[in-house]
Amino acid sequence: MHSNKAGSNRILFIDANDSFTNNIISLLETRLQATVSVWNISLQLQDAQLAAALHQYDAVVVGPGPGHPSHEVDTGIMNMLWKVEEQDLLPVLGICLGFQNLAFHHGASIERLKEPKHGMVCRISHRRGSIFEDVPQFRATCYHSLRVQLSPLRQGPCQSQEENVLWPPLEKCPDLHPLAWDLGDQVNGPVLMALRHVRKPFWGLQYHPESICTDEASIRVVENWWTAARDWNELRRQRRRQTHEGSSIQHLHPKVQSQIEGVEESYLQRRAFVWTPETEVGNSNCNGPQQFAKVITGVVQSKGLKLLELCTDLNFLRAEVVVLDSAVLRADTGQHTVIGLIVPDQTVKLEYDSTSRRIRRRGPDRDTVRHDSLSDHQGDVYLYLARYMENRRAVGGSAESPFWGGLMGYVTYETCLEAVSVAVAPSGLSSQASWNEPGMAFAFIERSLVYDHISGRLYVQSIRADDTGWVQETTEAVELLSRASPPSIKKGGLGLPRKISIPPIYDPVHLGMNGHSHSVHSPPLKLPCVPNGVSKNAGLQVTLPILEEYQDKVRQCQDSIRAGDSYELCLTTQAEVKISRRHLDPGYAWPLYLALRRHNPAPFGAYLRFGNATLLSCSPERFLRWDRTGLCQMRPIKGTVKKGPGVTQALAERILGEVKEQAENLMIVDLIRHDMHGVLGSGVVEVRSLMTVEEYETVFQLVSVIEGPTAAPVCSDTVLSLASASASSSDHAPPSTADGRRPSFFRQGLGLLAASLPPGSMTGAPKKRSCELLQHIEQGRRRGIYSGVVGYMCVSGAGDFSVVIRSAFRWGGHGGGGDGRQRRREPNPAAHVNGAHDTDIHHPTGRSRRRCDRDAVNGDGEEDGEKDRVRDEDEDQDGDEDIWRIGAGGAVTALSTPQGEWEEMQTKLNSTLVPLVRHLQQVLGGR
């Protein structure tokens, strides 16, 4: 936590809602050895209150942010800094928006650049004066659409930095002295990059010294500023003290003091989940009895095991299940496939409804549903999850298995937006039906299979008490099946476990539908272009994005970028595929996933089928992993080249080495560094790999890897030894550390997840403003599970999530109870899981069609935490069609072209849409 406690080297940072703030704070704390406090621009103080509060600090840094320096809503309290009385002055360094605001208040004009400079690296030319003393020429990253103009300059590049017009103060702004320029811009001409005030201790930098691509020499400029600030303080401080003797924040009105301290103390809490002793324990109706399970493990050694086919034969994958599937093995990704088995009427499921802000908890018995309010958890759903998991620890699992058991599931994009306080357009669903599209859903997995593709070991695991029999029998069955040939499997001649955990809800079907096996080879898919974007093909109805509408949205994004409101906007759209259920086998989603997997194998694939959701994802992008040693990793992808004839790795590297592609990736890397610094702390985040080209089945991608350690391992050897001792005791109490406090389960791993949502690669930067803009540009259309995350939180303390891209998902359909029918209905208005519900089906024209839920129940009559009895009702499935939604998009920058963005979106869309429709055509043709 950044604080303002008394001591030397105290810097106040003014945060303008930027997504690079924490990177600057890290630079100040590590290179200047300063203690940094943070105020948001929205803090409101009177002049006298500001003057008194400033006396607690040695200097001020005014940070970057979206917007215009003349707009009060974008600048807030920074406007007051330049008007402070002489005796109350503090040295100030403005960066980007702070630089522009400083210049604007001293007479400079602010103009739009002809070509915005976002994520671009330019050469900084200077004369080694002022804070540039003894600094060599260097290159720095720029994030700006606007320029400071001190006087009219001739257009075109300036070949000589000796031109007198550039360097001395000018008549229009006599108080501002230029210090550095970008003289190499062929489009914008000379652009002012640094200045100082002639009489006051104010300096400004247009470029970003904290960016990962800014040269190390730029840090010397910040260090020189800090030296100049301290020198100025030394000369002036005695007079300031005599003039304002005794003036301090403690003498402010109590309400003002509380306001300032509250802003400072809540800085990280605005974005991140911050652990305190109060959040670790306390009364919580989600905790239940404290448990500390022992992992029971069986191991099968089988190199090259056909795990997914084997699990199909064991009948594990046609009911509710979560599969985190690695189909591509790389140096540091794709090593493990994790299968979480959902036991009907036994596995606990947690579903979150953002409208009511409640958690619906199903199980552990089939007849119990409970609704938990977040009011006991500071209104934070991630705190709820953390407390839930804190009391469900386990020990004794294999160190080589990344997952022993725990929560597996997804978070939708709309729920991710809550983390940055962005309002979401109403879904159009009734309060009853909103539970049918939960914003977050997790199943607490007790039985799992984990396969290591490198070692060839399969781990059969359970964290249930007295479940040794299931582990042994399943291990034996896997060993038999892994040695058998496919014909013997189909004949059923093997001894399967006598007590299999997943009842055979369906007759086993081996990778086909209704007994038919289909080849992956088929004629090219043809989706004729029609005016309204809807194509009917072989019994399917496919709704496609429309060229003109998408390109218009690209132009809207660029308008916002040129205005300075965003650096990059990740625009998305969706296609829809509708198919009648009467043509389909109830378990057709699994073979459909396998078809997508064959076409587009990926290291972070996912097949999720439980509750009312079905997800098929072939994602190449890890969002966040934290392991048991405390190491966190994020792995953003930005930059795509479609494979085709003549497209080699070398050509892809040349294309992805272009300015536009590099800028897209750099912006997200700097954004992720900000997210990680805000939770893990200053100076600990490392970019392990910057903009590396990776090859996938249909595309080349530009990938970066960012890592950082938590403050302490989430599952250290000490904790494990304590846990082992505890697990052998009779009461299974969670262990305590030497100081008597229980080790926090997700002290920083889950906090980083909460702070980093939504994925920056799906939003742009600055994140909050970009998300707000995208809500408007995308006309409030809900992305759903697409653009969200899917993954697990393990009982060992680890976690791993991927970004949901290259995916298709559906609500309802045959996914709910695993048998294709609506098995249960609850009497409360947050009722049934399956069946039709109020759904807006969006068409390219912007119109919507409503289907009413004939099973809606009026009235509420339910208290938080109340348990409701439910009853079996075998009913016909409401509705007669499944709607699969396939999202795709790309990062729009100032250098984008509408046609180029359309083509990139189509490449990504077709990687999922083509194999999905092709497979469904085969199913329909074979019925």
Side-chain angles (χ1 to χ4, degrees):
M1 175 66 67
H2 309 295
S3 64
N4 68 327
K5 294 181 180 179
S8 60
N9 298 355
R10 299 160 300 181
I11 293 177
L12 172 63
F13 186 89
I14 305 298
D15 173 28
N17 301 315
D18 198 58
S19 288
F20 306 140
T21 290
N22 293 326
N23 299 334
I24 301 175
I25 291 172
S26 176
L27 186 156
L28 298 175
E29 291 188 332
T30 57
R31 300 305 290 263
L32 306 185
Q33 299 299 304
T35 299
V36 181
S37 298
V38 181
W39 292 3
N40 188 264
I41 55 171
S42 60
L43 179 63
Q44 296 183 354
L45 296 176
Q46 300 297 320
D47 291 343
Q49 296 167 345
L50 174 65
L54 289 179
H55 280 254
Q56 304 300 301
Y57 306 101
D58 298 297
V60 181
V61 175
V62 182
H68 196 280
S70 66
H71 296 167
E72 177 74 22
V73 68
D74 298 325
T75 53
I77 198 171
M78 71 172 69
N79 296 309
M80 300 176 64
L81 291 173
W82 324 115
K83 304 173 184 177
V84 171
E85 296 294 331
E86 187 77 21
Q87 67 270 18
D88 298 315
L89 283 177
L90 274 185
V92 180
L93 176 66
I95 298 175
C96 201
L97 182 64
F99 161 85
Q100 295 169 0
N101 189 252
L102 162 62
F104 173 76
H105 278 275
H106 291 87
S109 58
I110 307 297
E111 300 176 357
R112 289 190 180 187
L113 292 172
K114 291 183 178 179
E115 183 178 272
K117 310 274 287 188
H118 293 305
M120 299 184 194
V121 179
C122 68
R123 181 178 177 84
I124 306 299
S125 299
H126 60 85
R127 287 181 162 181
R128 299 178 184 263
S130 185
I131 59 177
F132 287 83
E133 184 179 357
D134 296 329
V135 177
Q137 309 298 310
F138 60 88
R139 295 173 61 81
T141 304
C142 300
Y143 290 107
H144 61 111
S145 300
L146 309 174
R147 68 185 303 165
V148 169
Q149 196 75 297
L150 302 183
S151 68
L153 293 174
R154 66 177 179 83
Q155 298 302 307
C158 182
Q159 300 298 329
S160 172
Q161 59 179 349
E162 301 301 324
E163 294 189 22
N164 293 331
V165 71
L166 296 178
W167 299 105
L170 301 174
E171 182 178 351
K172 178 182 176 182
C173 305
D175 290 332
L176 300 180
H177 191 141
L179 295 178
W181 293 84
D182 172 10
L183 300 175
D185 194 320
Q186 301 292 319
V187 177
N188 296 304
V191 178
L192 185 63
M193 282 293 168
L195 58 74
R196 67 175 177 87
H197 195 282
V198 173
R199 295 177 295 102
K200 297 181 179 180
F202 301 156
W203 292 263
L205 307 175
Q206 176 65 81
Y207 64 88
H208 281 244
E210 81 289 351
S211 172
I212 191 63
C213 283
T214 295
D215 289 348
E216 176 72 14
S218 72
I219 306 301
R220 183 64 185 273
V221 177
V222 179
E223 293 172 339
N224 286 347
W225 165 77
W226 183 232
T227 299
R230 287 185 294 179
D231 289 345
W232 189 91
N233 284 337
E234 187 66 25
L235 293 173
R236 300 295 184 91
R237 182 156 291 171
Q238 185 61 40
R239 186 160 65 90
R240 285 176 53 203
R241 285 175 178 169
Q242 293 173 354
T243 305
H244 264 247
E245 184 175 359
S247 176
S248 71
I249 192 171
Q250 282 74 23
H251 292 88
L252 292 171
H253 189 281
K255 288 186 177 180
V256 177
Q257 177 181 338
S258 176
Q259 180 186 11
I260 294 174
E261 292 177 347
V263 167
E264 294 174 354
E265 292 301 315
S266 67
Y267 167 63
L268 287 181
Q269 294 170 338
R270 288 189 305 110
R271 294 288 319 284
F273 180 73
V274 180
W275 285 92
T276 66
E278 291 73 24
T279 61
E280 290 187 39
V281 294
N283 296 327
S284 171
N285 62 10
C286 76
N287 280 336
Q290 292 181 344
Q291 303 171 23
F292 213 80
K294 182 75 166 68
V295 183
I296 307 168
T297 306
V299 180
V300 178
Q301 183 67 49
S302 180
K303 193 77 171 178
L305 179 67
K306 303 290 186 182
L307 177 63
L308 301 186
E309 293 184 17
L310 182 147
C311 289
T312 302
D313 293 311
L314 284 173
N315 208 29
F316 284 159
L317 301 179
R318 294 175 59 78
E320 294 187 302
V321 70
V322 181
V323 180
L324 302 180
D325 174 30
S326 295
V328 174
L329 179 61
R330 298 188 180 278
D332 61 347
T333 63
Q335 181 174 349
H336 298 96
T337 290
V338 179
I339 299 178
L341 303 177
I342 297 177
V343 183
D345 304 319
Q346 296 180 43
T347 297
V348 175
K349 302 169 190 173
L350 306 176
E351 297 170 320
Y352 172 64
D353 175 49
S354 58
T355 302
S356 63
R357 295 192 59 76
R358 291 194 297 176
I359 295 283
R360 178 166 66 179
R361 182 155 37 130
R362 295 177 173 273
D365 61 85
R366 65 176 300 176
D367 293 330
T368 300
V369 175
R370 176 175 183 154
H371 288 77
D372 294 333
S373 170
L374 294 180
S375 59
D376 294 332
H377 310 281
Q378 302 176 18
D380 193 325
V381 66
Y382 301 98
L383 177 54
Y384 177 99
L385 294 175
R387 284 175 167 166
Y388 184 89
M389 290 295 291
E390 188 73 30
N391 290 279
R392 287 162 177 82
R393 301 291 298 272
V395 295
S398 170
E400 303 302 319
S401 174
F403 179 78
W404 299 344
L407 292 176
M408 298 182 75
Y410 67 84
V411 183
T412 66
Y413 175 76
E414 282 69 35
T415 296
C416 290
L417 290 178
E418 293 183 8
V420 287
S421 302
V422 172
V424 176
S427 66
L429 300 176
S430 66
S431 59
Q432 301 97 312
S434 64
W435 284 105
N436 290 318
E437 298 184 8
M440 177 186 294
F442 287 95
F444 187 75
I445 300 299
E446 296 177 298
R447 291 173 174 173
S448 61
L449 305 177
V450 175
Y451 184 62
D452 187 324
H453 294 274
I454 294 179
S455 70
R457 292 190 185 93
L458 175 70
Y459 301 93
V460 181
Q461 305 168 131
S462 176
I463 55 174
R464 286 186 170 188
D466 305 321
D467 209 21
T468 303
W470 178 85
V471 171
Q472 290 178 344
E473 292 172 349
T474 303
T475 302
E476 292 170 2
V478 171
E479 288 177 334
L480 288 171
L481 289 172
S482 66
R483 293 195 296 266
S485 63
S488 65
I489 294 175
K490 290 182 179 180
K491 291 176 182 176
L494 299 176
L496 295 178
R498 295 182 299 278
K499 297 178 180 179
I500 199 70
S501 65
I502 305 296
I505 299 174
Y506 308 105
D507 293 330
V509 177
H510 191 66
L511 305 181
M513 303 305 304
N514 298 323
H516 296 281
S517 179
H518 303 292
S519 168
V520 300
H521 303 290
S522 63
L525 175 68
K526 294 183 179 179
L527 297 175
C529 295
V530 291
N532 66 350
V534 178
S535 170
K536 291 186 177 181
N537 188 304
L540 302 175
Q541 180 172 311
V542 181
T543 305
L544 301 172
I546 295 178
L547 172 66
E548 293 78 10
E549 291 186 1
Y550 192 80
Q551 291 187 341
D552 180 64
K553 291 176 181 178
V554 171
R555 286 185 279 268
Q556 290 180 51
C557 289
Q558 291 184 305
D559 288 343
S560 295
I561 291 169
R562 293 189 182 97
D565 291 325
S566 179
Y567 312 142
E568 173 181 47
L569 288 165
C570 297
L571 178 67
T572 73
T573 187
Q574 286 188 4
E576 289 183 355
V577 177
K578 299 180 185 179
I579 185 169
S580 174
R581 292 187 187 127
R582 64 177 176 269
H583 299 317
L584 303 173
D585 179 279
Y588 82 100
W590 173 244
L592 182 56
Y593 170 70
L594 294 178
L596 300 186
R597 184 182 190 268
R598 287 191 293 267
H599 181 79
N600 194 23
F604 302 107
Y607 173 79
L608 178 147
R609 187 181 183 205
F610 76 85
N612 214 41
T614 306
L615 170 66
L616 321 174
S617 176
C618 294
S619 174
E621 183 173 356
R622 165 174 283 146
F623 177 58
L624 168 64
R625 179 190 69 189
W626 65 96
D627 63 23
R628 295 173 196 132
T629 70
L631 181 65
C632 298
Q633 181 191 86
M634 301 184 79
R635 210 171 184 278
I637 288 178
K638 265 285 165 273
T640 303
V641 172
K642 180 182 178 180
K643 280 189 169 181
V647 181
T648 63
Q649 175 93 14
L651 177 59
E653 288 178 354
R654 285 199 297 273
I655 295 173
L656 293 173
E658 293 176 358
V659 172
K660 174 185 178 296
E661 306 296 337
Q662 297 273 307
E664 286 183 17
N665 197 283
L666 172 58
M667 282 185 264
I668 303 306
V669 170
D670 279 342
L671 182 153
I672 285 175
R673 291 174 59 238
H674 159 87
D675 288 340
M676 296 183 76
H677 274 132
V679 178
L680 305 182
S682 295
V684 300
V685 177
E686 176 185 359
V687 178
R688 187 163 66 83
S689 176
L690 182 63
M691 292 184 270
T692 300
V693 177
E694 292 185 353
E695 181 179 5
Y696 294 89
E697 193 72 14
T698 59
V699 296
F700 292 95
Q701 304 262 211
L702 197 60
V703 183
S704 295
V705 180
I706 306 98
E707 293 182 342
T710 58
V714 293
C715 197
S716 65
D717 293 339
T718 302
V719 172
L720 283 174
S721 62
L722 288 167
S724 299
S726 174
S728 63
S729 65
S730 59
D731 58 3
H732 284 203
S736 297
T737 54
D739 62 3
R741 294 180 60 215
R742 280 196 297 122
S744 176
F745 181 52
F746 288 109
R747 181 174 297 277
Q748 287 174 308
L750 187 57
L752 181 55
L753 177 68
S756 302
L757 293 173
S761 60
M762 303 307 296
T763 64
K767 187 182 288 185
K768 178 179 172 63
R769 182 68 65 87
S770 295
C771 289
E772 292 169 341
L773 291 169
L774 288 168
Q775 281 287 291
H776 172 71
I777 294 169
E778 295 181 3
Q779 299 174 325
R781 179 167 187 167
R782 300 174 80 85
R783 297 185 183 181
I785 304 176
Y786 168 69
S787 294
V789 296
V790 61
Y792 67 75
M793 291 173 274
C794 180
V795 291
S796 68
D800 201 348
F801 286 83
S802 66
V803 181
V804 180
I805 53 177
R806 315 293 193 274
S807 63
F809 74 93
R810 70 177 178 189
W811 299 115
H814 293 294
D819 63 356
R821 292 186 298 175
Q822 180 177 341
R823 292 180 57 88
R824 288 180 275 176
R825 182 197 296 173
E826 303 160 35
N828 64 76
H832 53 287
V833 174
N834 295 308
H837 44 269
D838 288 355
T839 305
D840 282 331
I841 304 173
H842 297 269
H843 296 275
T845 58
R847 298 188 299 270
S848 64
R849 183 175 67 213
R850 176 80 64 186
R851 287 202 312 266
C852 296
D853 179 5
R854 65 180 176 84
D855 290 323
V857 180
N858 295 323
D860 194 322
E862 179 182 51
E863 297 296 327
D864 291 335
E866 178 184 354
K867 292 186 177 181
D868 302 301
R869 305 299 295 177
V870 297
R871 52 196 172 93
D872 282 339
E873 290 189 3
D874 288 347
E875 301 182 24
D876 292 335
Q877 181 84 20
D878 292 332
D880 61 356
E881 66 182 4
D882 274 351
I883 303 174
W884 291 95
R885 294 174 171 86
I886 303 100
V892 179
T893 69
L895 297 180
S896 297
T897 64
Q899 181 63 28
E901 291 301 323
W902 168 259
E903 292 174 357
E904 179 179 345
M905 180 276 293
Q906 280 197 314
T907 295
K908 297 173 180 176
L909 179 66
N910 288 337
S911 70
T912 300
L913 180 64
V914 168
L916 184 142
V917 174
R918 181 176 292 159
H919 179 83
L920 291 177
Q921 287 174 333
Q922 293 172 346
V923 172
L924 293 172
R927 69 181 186 272

